[in-house]
Amino acid sequence: MNRAALADFLRARRTELRPEDVGLSAGARRRVAGLRRDEVAALAGMSTDYYVRLEQVRGPQPSEQMLAALARALRLSLDERDYLYRQAGHTAPARTPLDTHVAPALMRVLDRLENSPALVLSSLGETLLQNELSKALMGDHSRLTGPARSGVYRWFTDPAERELYPEADRARQSRAQVSGLRAAYGAAGERSRAGSLVRELRGVSEEFDAIWQTQVVAQRFEDHKTLIHPELGPIELDCQALFTEDQGQALLVLTAAPRTEAAAKLELLAVLGRERFPAESTARP
């Protein structure tokens, strides 16, 4: 681990960013041109003291999970992310179709979406990033671990996952989950994380196995869907997806038509927050 090089790199990237670059308000008075250390720490989900020690060349070696969080917080490109890992004494992650590093271009778009639920998904259905309104609507899935990180896995193993959709839409959603996973499986191969997920699901879910054998394959999202909030009830939303060039990640934006009941519910949702969603309970190591 090259602590001095890591500290220099973190300081340089932090000072190059502006609050508006990461969806923060600049405020009336700022003593620094770039982001503050506490802002980077909050974006990365770590303590301010831990981040300060990294910049002051006295911190412990960050874990790969912590480095991934820092790479997202600092909006690093893939080359910058790889440099960060190497200076921290880790091997840079392999660049594959299943790379979970969120593209900075997608993050810039998401940072500017405050009034619409939005999230970034991997091709395995892993929630890589969510805005606050998405968490309030769907629960916070970004911190789940193990197979539960994948929405496909949760759909076929956790009955609570289906409560977000009306019963009449669940069969269609099952097919969509499997067809999307098959697209990822085709791109990454049998020995990839997609292959491992397929094998595990075929072993625990007869429904998944039956649909898998139909050979359905597609990578798209329904243009219109109804989601059910535990307090507000059904909310009819339009869904738009923006894919990265390699189709490995998608930014989903959910919007409601102006002056509709759904639009009013989204406004209320922003006030209610996400108190009803114990999403962490489904995580497993």
Side-chain angles (χ1 to χ4, degrees), residues 7 18 21 23 32 67 95 114-115 120 122 145 163 168 172 184 210-211 243 278 280:
R18 299 293 181 268
D21 295 338
V32 294
L67 292 172
R95 300 190 187 186
E114 297 180 357
N115 300 320
V120 177
S122 75
T145 59
E163 294 177 1
R172 180 181 64 185
I211 300 174
F243 287 91
E280 301 275 347

Side-chain angles (χ1 to χ4, degrees), residues 121 125-127 138 141-142 144 147-162 177 197 201 279 282-283:
L121 294 176
E126 300 160 321
T127 301
M138 312 170 86
H141 297 147
S142 61
L144 296 176
R149 290 188 63 199
S150 169
V152 187
Y153 182 87
R154 296 194 306 273
W155 183 262
F156 290 100
T157 61
D158 183 1
E161 187 75 9
R162 302 191 176 207
Q177 294 280 17
L197 184 58
L201 281 170
T282 59

Side-chain angles (χ1 to χ4, degrees), residues 79-234:
D79 289 338
E80 291 169 333
R81 179 204 63 175
D82 292 353
Y83 180 84
L84 175 72
Y85 272 71
R86 292 180 182 120
Q87 301 317 305
H90 291 282
T91 301
R95 300 190 187 186
T96 72
L98 302 181
D99 200 325
T100 58
H101 179 66
V102 181
L106 289 188
M107 298 184 74
R108 285 194 294 271
V109 177
L110 187 141
D111 287 336
R112 287 158 175 77
L113 296 171
E114 297 180 357
N115 300 320
S116 297
L119 62 160
V120 177
L121 294 176
S122 75
S123 58
L124 295 186
E126 300 160 321
T127 301
L128 305 179
L129 199 65
Q130 292 177 272
N131 65 7
E132 290 303 311
L133 201 50
S134 168
K135 295 175 183 177
L137 176 63
M138 312 170 86
D140 186 355
H141 297 147
S142 61
R143 296 185 182 276
L144 296 176
T145 59
R149 290 188 63 199
S150 169
V152 187
Y153 182 87
R154 296 194 306 273
W155 183 262
F156 290 100
T157 61
D158 183 1
E161 187 75 9
R162 302 191 176 207
E163 294 177 1
L164 186 64
Y165 287 83
E167 187 172 357
D169 293 345
R170 293 173 188 174
R172 180 181 64 185
Q173 183 67 8
S174 291
R175 292 191 297 272
Q177 294 280 17
V178 177
S179 65
L181 179 55
R182 185 172 281 281
Y185 177 87
E190 182 179 357
R191 297 185 179 181
S192 67
R193 289 194 300 118
S196 297
L197 184 58
V198 168
R199 288 189 291 275
E200 181 155 1
L201 281 170
R202 295 192 73 178
V204 299
S205 171
E206 292 182 0
E207 180 191 9
F208 176 88
D209 187 56
I211 300 174
W212 182 258
Q213 293 186 56
T214 66
Q215 300 290 321
V216 292
V217 55
Q219 193 176 37
R220 67 178 302 277
F221 299 89
E222 290 295 326
D223 297 332
H224 186 81
K225 61 177 62 186
T226 299
L227 300 181
I228 302 175
H229 186 269
E231 294 181 357
L232 301 180

